[in-house]
Amino acid sequence: MERAPERFTIVPDDYHVPYAGTAEDGRKFFISEELFSEKSAYVGVFLWKADGTFDEVRVDEIGRPAGLPPGQAGPAGAEDLVEARLAELGNYVLEPIEVVPFTQDVDGITFGWKVGQYDDGTYFINIEPGNFICYYEPWDGLDYDT
């Protein structure tokens, strides 16, 4: 039986992972404006210490974009907020990061990277809320399901 992943890699791309890397203070980060629950959308900043262990999550609730079907991820149109959150990181570098999965509840909503297991025993890691990015073995961040 496969073991649950202790770490995984997030690689920046031009699809669902535009902002992942290392902040000026050495912390690892991932920022998304595509996080969503049934009723709302969020800009989330996920931060890990320099060693890849969880540090904090920062969340801004924003309106869900008009016309976006329920259960579908899409940009929330919060570019100014994303830019402000990026500015808080100082001089950052977009690059692959190796981090520990985590979840944290914020106002009753789970945020983070949740480890799950399929019936066949294989593991996966989903982003929450919204479950629109799903990483799988070999945990190198080069491929993910949406």
Side-chain angles (χ1 to χ4, degrees):
M1 167 128 0
E2 182 183 347
R3 281 189 21 213
E6 294 178 14
R7 292 179 176 264
F8 71 110
T9 301
I10 302 172
V11 177
D13 65 23
D14 293 332
Y15 190 38
H16 287 299
V17 188
Y19 304 111
T22 304
E24 184 172 1
D25 65 6
R27 291 188 294 175
K28 310 300 180 191
F29 71 89
F30 171 81
I31 298 177
S32 179
E33 68 166 324
E34 294 187 64
L35 304 169
F36 66 95
S37 65
E38 188 175 307
K39 297 179 181 181
S40 198
Y42 308 89
V43 170
V45 180
F46 301 156
L47 294 161
W48 294 265
K49 297 174 186 164
D51 67 2
T53 57
F54 174 68
D55 189 21
E56 69 175 301
V57 106
R58 299 176 188 167
V59 175
D60 294 287
E61 187 172 3
I62 52 179
R64 190 132 161 85
L68 191 62
Q72 181 176 328
E79 294 85 11
D80 291 344
L81 180 55
V82 170
E83 290 299 321
R85 290 294 185 217
L86 284 166
E88 292 171 358
L89 301 173
N91 291 325
Y92 61 87
V93 177
L94 297 177
E95 62 185 354
I97 57 173
E98 185 177 296
V99 294
V100 174
F102 75 90
T103 59
Q104 180 173 330
D105 283 355
V106 177
D107 297 328
I109 304 292
T110 300
F111 288 85
W113 297 90
K114 183 178 178 180
V115 177
Q117 189 173 25
Y118 294 113
D119 291 339
D120 68 1
T122 59
Y123 288 89
F124 58 88
I125 300 173
N126 284 338
I127 192 166
E128 297 292 340
N131 185 13
F132 65 93
I133 299 174
C134 180
Y135 286 106
Y136 45 86
E137 194 173 26
W139 314 114
D140 60 9
L142 297 177
D143 293 307
Y144 56 84
D145 289 330
T146 57

